[in-house]
């Protein structure tokens, strides 16, 4: 890895008056300023420097230690102090050339990278050379470092986007025959249990499917939330960029979120032409509306737990409040599904109960184990499902575009999966439930501390009511006489179905 920077410090007057002081700084820098924090001999190097009218020209090179942009900031500070004694100020930095060279077996294949104005790949030497378009502000803000991290991540993935998830089977229930093999969504439509909404991946649930949702919800309340002491909260469903920056989702959610843009003003006069157009044409003037709305301020709820962290952000939690166990069921989540939508199990608008728990590492692990036990009881004894669970890439890593598993071997996600008989014997199983230990990711990201100074951890688990319904009906069918007795008892009588002529 090699860094090269050619630049100049702009001065308020000819710096010749302080030439001796600048020369001393430059002569001593490689063993002093530019060596701090680096192994012996691996600090930044000064390739050349010179003075002329209102400029100090500098060329720097470095490896991975004391990178050239950090080296320049150190030199600038020291030189500014020296020039100040001669009543000369440093007015800023002018970058002529900034390059990074990294070893690589892959080209970037014309990928557009922020602040990278050109990329050269030497297939013989197996190196990638990037020329950056950065200034002083970007160097101070460590933009070159983050560009390098981004490049390394893309190169590590090989094909720049196809990130395979880790999957390790933990447990699987016994095989069983299935008497129902139809697509439950199609049968629900025929029976009038639901109808398609006007939006993509959206359903209007009638009395029967709604009662199924509420029955599953009551099972979660009776078998998990009340016994394990969870308290209800209401999490925001419109999520601002600040939350996703702290949670890490801002790294990769853009293809999947529904964006929120406010109107530029609420003044009716500003919107009069839009209203008039509709009154005349009976068509909504979408293109005209685009000119009257502001920039996106965030998006609709995508992953349900991150917005709750605004409640704890910047706080110190008393030890006797731990562990904290809360849940939210106050509204829908929205995700622009990839790979197409299907039935009620793959939708853009969905309903979930989100569980979040916070505590010490030991408390979070213990809470997670209790949750696994309760889920196993529900899926075996109440819903009587064929299912399995697997250790997979942590959900937050997958959503940020990171492959693999967490290094500590405790942090991670357990997926609960079930076969859908209508997909056939070798069909893809549906992930209908998950449980995650997120380590210190969210307490650290949102600056949440413990009174005792112990490191806080957290976990989360989303109960997707559409996924539970799709799994249950796919395996048991729509005839209540074929449903497990324990579930049928909790469901009660079938609601009256609306009939249309």
């Amino acid at each position: 890895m090699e860094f090269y920077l050619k630049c100049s410090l702009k001065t308020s007057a000819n710096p010749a008056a302080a030439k001796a002081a600048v020369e001393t700084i430059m002569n001593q820098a490689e063993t002093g300023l530019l060596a701090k924090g680096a192994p012996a001999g691996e600090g930044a190097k000064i390739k050349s420097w010179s003075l002329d009218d209102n400029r100090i020209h500098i060329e720097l090179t470095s490896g991975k230690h004391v990178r050239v942009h950090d080296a320049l900031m150190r030199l600038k500070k020291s030189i500014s102090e020296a020039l100040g004694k001669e009543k000369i100020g440093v007015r800023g930095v002018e970058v002529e050339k900034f390059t990074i060279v990294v070893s690589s077996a892959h080209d970037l294949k014309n990928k557009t990278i922020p602040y990278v104005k050109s990329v050269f790949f030497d297939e013989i030497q197996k190196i990638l050379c990037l020329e950056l378009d950065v200034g002083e502000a970007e160097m101070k803000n460590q933009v070159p470092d983050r560009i390098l991290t981004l490049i390394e991540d893309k190169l590590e993935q090989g094909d720049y986007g196809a990130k395979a998830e880790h999957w390790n089977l933990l447990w699987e229930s016994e095989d069983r025959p299935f008497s129902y093999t139809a697509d439950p969504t199609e049968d629900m439509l025929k029976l009038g249990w639901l109808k398609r909404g006007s939006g993509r991946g959206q359903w209007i649930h009638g009395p029967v499917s709604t009662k199924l949702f509420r029955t599953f919800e009551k099972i979660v309340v009776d078998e998990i939330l009340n016994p394990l002491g969870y308290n209800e909260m209401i999490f925001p469903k419109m999520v601002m960029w600040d939350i996703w920056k702290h949670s890490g989702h801002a790294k990769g959610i853009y293809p999947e979120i529904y964006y929120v843009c406010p109107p530029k003003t609420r003044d009716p006069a500003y919107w009069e032409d839009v209203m008039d157009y509709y009154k005349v044409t009976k068509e909504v003037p979408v293109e005209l509306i685009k000119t009257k709305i502001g920039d996106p301020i965030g998006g609709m709820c995508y992953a349900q737990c991150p917005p709750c962290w605004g409640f704890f952000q910047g706080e110190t939690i008393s030890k006797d409040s731990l562990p904290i166990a809360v849940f939210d069921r106050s509204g829908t989540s929205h995700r622009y599904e990839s790979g197409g939508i299907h039935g009620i199990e793959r939708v853009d608008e969905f309903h979930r109960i989100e569980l979040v728990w916070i505590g010490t590492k030991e408390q979070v692990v213990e809470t997670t184990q209790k949750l696994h036990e309760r889920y196993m009881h529900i899926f075996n004894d109440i819903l009587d499902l064929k299912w399995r669970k697997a250790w997979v890439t942590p959900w937050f890593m997958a959503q940020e575009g990171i492959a693999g598993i967490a290094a500590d071997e405790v942090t991670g996600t357990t997926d609960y999966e079930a076969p859908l008989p209508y997909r056939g014997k070798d069909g893809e199983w549906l992930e209908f439930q998950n449980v995650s230990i997120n380590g210190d990711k969210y307490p650290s990201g949102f600056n949440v501390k413990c009174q005792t100074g112990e490191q806080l951890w957290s976990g989360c688990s989303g109960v997707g009511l559409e996924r539970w319904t799709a799994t249950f009906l796919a395996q048991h069918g729509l005839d209540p006489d074929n449903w497990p007795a324990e579930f049928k008892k909790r469901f009660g009588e079938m609601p009256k179905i609306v009939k249309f002529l």
Side-chain angles (χ1 to χ4, degrees):
M1 183 186 302
E2 299 175 11
F3 291 81
Y4 170 80
L5 174 61
K6 185 177 183 180
C7 63
S8 57
L9 302 180
K10 297 181 289 185
T11 57
S12 60
N14 192 320
K19 182 177 180 180
V22 173
E23 188 170 11
T24 298
I25 292 170
M26 295 298 191
N27 289 341
Q28 297 176 354
E30 290 189 9
T31 56
L33 278 177
L34 308 188
K36 290 180 181 177
E42 295 188 38
K45 309 295 182 186
I46 300 173
K47 187 174 180 180
S48 70
W49 70 275
S50 62
L51 306 178
D52 66 16
D53 291 344
N54 301 348
R55 290 285 190 281
I56 301 176
H57 301 286
I58 305 173
E59 275 188 282
L60 295 167
T61 61
S62 72
K64 63 181 180 180
H65 301 288
V66 192
R67 298 171 179 179
V68 290
H69 46 289
D70 294 322
L72 177 65
M73 292 303 115
R74 296 183 188 184
L75 287 173
K76 180 176 179 259
K77 180 180 178 182
S78 186
I79 290 172
S80 295
E81 293 172 356
L83 294 181
K85 295 176 182 178
E86 301 294 335
K87 309 299 182 185
I88 301 172
V90 175
R91 297 285 178 81
V93 176
E94 195 172 82
V95 176
E96 184 176 336
K97 191 170 186 178
F98 192 135
T99 61
I100 303 175
V101 177
V102 293
S103 298
S104 172
H106 301 285
D107 194 354
L108 284 178
K109 296 181 180 177
N110 299 317
K111 289 288 180 180
T112 300
I113 309 295
Y115 296 101
V116 175
K117 61 182 179 182
S118 68
V119 180
F120 171 73
F121 178 60
D122 189 324
E123 195 167 349
I124 297 175
Q125 296 188 53
K126 300 297 182 186
I127 59 171
L128 196 67
C129 180
L130 307 116
E131 185 171 358
L132 308 189
D133 184 12
V134 295
E136 182 176 7
E138 289 77 22
M139 290 190 289
K140 282 183 177 179
N141 198 29
Q142 304 300 310
V143 167
D145 297 311
R146 288 194 285 273
I147 290 172
L148 182 60
T149 300
L150 177 61
I151 297 298
E152 289 175 335
D153 179 58
K154 288 182 179 291
L155 293 173
E156 184 179 343
Q157 301 309 326
D159 58 356
Y160 321 115
K163 299 173 171 56
E165 285 200 10
H166 172 82
W167 190 93
N168 181 39
L169 181 66
L170 299 176
W171 182 89
E172 183 173 340
S173 59
E174 294 181 0
D175 284 331
R176 64 179 66 187
F178 298 109
S179 58
Y180 178 81
T181 56
D183 183 337
T185 301
E186 295 302 319
D187 282 353
M188 292 169 80
L189 282 167
K190 292 174 185 175
L191 293 175
W193 288 15
L194 48 70
K195 283 196 171 186
R196 297 186 186 278
S198 59
R200 181 185 189 271
Q202 182 187 60
W203 293 94
I204 304 171
H205 291 273
V208 179
S209 60
T210 299
K211 188 168 184 180
L212 281 167
F213 278 23
R214 295 294 174 251
T215 304
F216 290 130
E217 192 174 87
K218 189 173 188 306
I219 289 170
V220 172
V221 170
D222 292 345
E223 301 294 335
I224 296 177
L225 302 178
N226 287 341
L228 299 185
Y230 281 77
N231 292 305
E232 187 166 10
M233 290 181 63
I234 296 176
F235 304 165
K237 297 300 177 288
M238 190 165 71
V239 187
M240 304 298 117
W241 295 127
D242 183 62
I243 294 296
W244 280 328
K245 287 162 79 172
H246 284 290
S247 72
H249 285 85
K251 295 176 183 176
I253 56 171
Y254 306 101
E256 298 183 278
I257 58 173
Y258 277 88
Y259 293 86
V260 174
C261 301
K264 290 180 179 177
T265 174
R266 198 181 171 183
D267 181 2
Y270 181 78
W271 290 91
E272 186 173 0
D273 54 347
V274 172
M275 294 183 278
D276 288 348
Y277 185 93
Y278 179 79
K279 291 172 184 175
V280 170
T281 67
K282 297 302 179 183
E283 297 290 340
V284 176
V286 174
E287 293 301 319
L288 181 56
I289 290 174
K290 286 180 184 179
T291 68
K292 295 177 176 290
I293 56 178
D295 296 333
I297 58 174
M300 298 301 295
C301 174
Y302 164 83
Q304 202 167 335
C305 70
C308 87
W309 285 94
F311 187 83
F312 304 101
Q313 187 171 2
E315 300 287 356
T316 298
I317 300 175
S318 65
K319 184 63 183 287
D320 59 9
S321 293
L322 301 175
I324 294 169
V326 297
F327 72 97
D328 167 68
R329 53 176 170 176
S330 62
T332 53
S333 296
H334 302 261
R335 189 175 303 173
Y336 196 87
E337 275 286 3
S338 61
I341 53 177
H342 179 273
I344 62 168
E345 71 268 20
R346 195 174 184 87
V347 292
D348 283 24
E349 179 180 275
F350 48 99
H351 304 76
R352 290 200 308 177
I353 308 170
E354 184 76 5
L355 286 64
V356 178
W357 53 101
I358 306 168
T360 63
K361 177 180 177 179
E362 293 74 19
Q363 289 172 330
V364 166
V365 171
E366 181 183 358
T367 300
T368 304
Q369 183 56 43
K370 290 178 180 178
L371 190 57
H372 281 302
E373 293 168 359
R374 301 311 297 172
Y375 279 136
M376 179 169 278
H377 163 60
I378 291 172
F379 301 146
N380 286 343
D381 304 330
I382 300 176
L383 304 187
D384 190 26
L385 298 176
K386 163 66 179 174
W387 62 285
R388 69 189 181 195
K389 59 181 180 178
W391 183 252
V392 302
T393 299
W395 72 275
F396 60 83
M397 287 174 59
Q399 290 181 356
E400 292 174 25
I402 305 171
I405 57 175
D408 58 32
E409 297 183 357
V410 178
T411 302
T413 294
T414 301
D415 274 354
Y416 288 67
E417 303 172 344
L420 305 182
Y422 73 88
R423 292 182 175 179
K425 183 179 179 181
D426 298 321
E428 179 186 2
W429 288 39
L430 177 70
E431 185 262 300
F432 70 98
Q433 180 61 55
N434 62 54
V435 177
S436 292
I437 294 178
N438 303 322
D440 66 350
K441 176 179 175 60
Y442 290 110
S444 296
F446 288 89
N447 192 29
V448 186
K449 294 181 172 60
C450 177
Q451 175 187 14
T452 62
E454 295 174 85
Q455 177 64 63
L456 291 177
W457 275 34
S458 74
C460 65
S461 180
V463 176
L465 299 178
E466 280 85 356
R467 294 286 178 102
W468 278 37
T469 301
T471 301
F472 181 80
L473 295 180
Q475 294 193 13
H476 295 297
L478 278 65
D479 185 350
D481 290 341
N482 297 325
W483 292 351
E486 184 61 31
F487 177 82
K488 192 160 53 174
K489 180 176 71 176
R490 297 177 188 236
F491 182 83
E493 296 295 321
M494 283 286 285
K496 186 176 181 180
I497 298 174
V498 178
K499 296 182 179 180
F500 299 101
L501 302 179

